[in-house]
Every structure is written in structure tokens, then in C-alpha cells.
């Protein structure tokens, strides 16, 4: 999903006074989930495709000497497809929850008055933001 559509979707769900905090939390969670565990599960996936392990001077397991390349290919692509599918599913759930709301002024518990009305706006299925978000998936 493109960054602009993702950011627009994130900011439409919060009150104007909470937007800086929402951006900070979104950035923190994105970095926490995206950068910290990824080397761990990617390394475990690569190690699981090893056929022949080398040994160190202390007779401990060393580096992999031979990989099962077809197995590695299927596991790695499966991991990527799994995470992409989870992402798309969560975006569809968020989009459906925005589209199902009959009164756009009550999104995220807000009333449509003052600044909240400008921040929330009317959510139309054919609005440029929705079209861009759907086409970027």
C-alpha cells in the first residue's frame, strides 16, 4: 500500500488534537514490529533450510555449508506472502469499518462539530483517497 493512502487512512480515524500523537505511535509501532523481529524470523527461516552444518573448533554447530534451495525458496516466498496477506486483510477490515459507518461524524467517537468536521469529512466510496488506497493494494 502506498504511504500516502496509509497515512490518510491513519489520520482520518483520530481527532485533530490527537494527530501528532497518532503519528508518533504509528511510527513507533511500525518500527518496533517491522525492524526488530524481522532479522530473527528471517534468520530462523534461513537456518531451517540448511542441509549440512559446519562445525567450529569446539565441535559446536557453525555456519551452514549447504542449503536446500527449493525448500528455502518456498519458505521465504511463503513468509512474504503470509505477511503481505495479513497486511491486506487488516487494511480491508479498516476500510470496511470506515465504509460501514452510516454517520461519518461519529467515527472514532467524535461528533461532527467544529474542527472535527473538517478532520473527518464525508467518507465517500468514490473519493480520491479511497480510490487511491484501493488501487495501491
Amino acid at each position: 500500500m502506498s504511504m500516502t493512502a496509509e497515512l490518510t487512512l491513519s489520520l482520518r480515524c483520530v481527532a485533530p488534537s490527537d494527530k501528532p500523537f497518532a503519528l508518533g505511535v504509528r511510527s513507533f509501532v511500525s518500527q518496533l514490529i517491522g525492524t526488530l523481529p524481522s532479522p530473527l524470523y528471517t534468520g530462523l527461516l534461513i537456518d531451517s533450510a540448511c542441509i549440512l552444518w559446519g562445525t567450529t573448533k569446539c565441535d559446536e554447530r557453525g555456519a551452514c555449508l549447504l542449503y536446500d534451495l527449493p525448500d528455502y525458496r518456498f519458505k521465504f516466498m511463503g513468509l512474504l506472502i503470509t505477511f503481505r496477506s495479513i497486511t491486506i486483510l487488516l487494511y480491508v477490515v479498516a476500510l470496511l469499518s470506515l465504509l460501514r459507518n452510516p454517520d461519518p461524524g461519529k467515527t472514532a467517537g467524535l461528533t461532527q462539530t467544529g474542527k472535527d468536521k473538517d478532520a473527518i469529512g464525508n467518507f465517500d466510496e468514490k473519493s480520491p483517497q479511497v480510490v487511491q488506497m484501493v488501487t495501491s493494494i
Side-chain angles (χ1 to χ4, degrees), residues 14-118:
V14 296
S17 60
D18 294 336
K19 286 184 182 188
F21 180 70
L23 285 174
V25 169
R26 180 183 162 276
S27 176
F28 174 73
V29 170
S30 157
Q31 291 295 319
L32 185 68
I33 292 174
T35 59
L36 289 180
S38 64
L40 297 176
Y41 55 73
T42 305
L44 288 173
L45 181 98
I46 291 170
D47 286 348
S48 71
C50 184
I51 297 173
L52 179 63
W53 288 96
T55 56
T56 63
K57 293 178 183 177
C58 301
D59 289 331
E60 294 178 2
R61 187 173 84 170
C64 183
L65 300 175
L66 182 64
Y67 288 102
D68 182 7
L69 293 181
D71 184 42
Y72 173 70
R73 179 179 61 235
F74 287 122
K75 287 181 180 180
F76 193 73
M77 289 305 294
L79 181 72
L80 294 178
I81 290 170
T82 300
F83 285 134
R84 181 58 60 144
S85 299
I86 290 170
T87 302
I88 290 172
L89 177 69
L90 292 175
Y91 281 129
V92 167
V93 168
L95 180 64
L96 291 176
S97 70
L98 286 173
L99 293 175
R100 281 184 43 184
N101 191 359
D103 185 9
K106 298 200 177 198
T107 303
L110 301 173
T111 58
Q112 199 166 357
T113 60
K115 288 191 244 177
D116 295 342
K117 182 177 181 182
D118 296 334

Side-chain angles (χ1 to χ4, degrees), residues 5 95 123-137:
L95 180 64
F123 195 79
D124 183 17
E125 292 178 357
K126 296 181 181 172
S127 71
Q129 292 90 358
V130 174
V131 172
Q132 179 188 6
M133 181 177 61
V134 171
T135 56
S136 66
I137 295 177

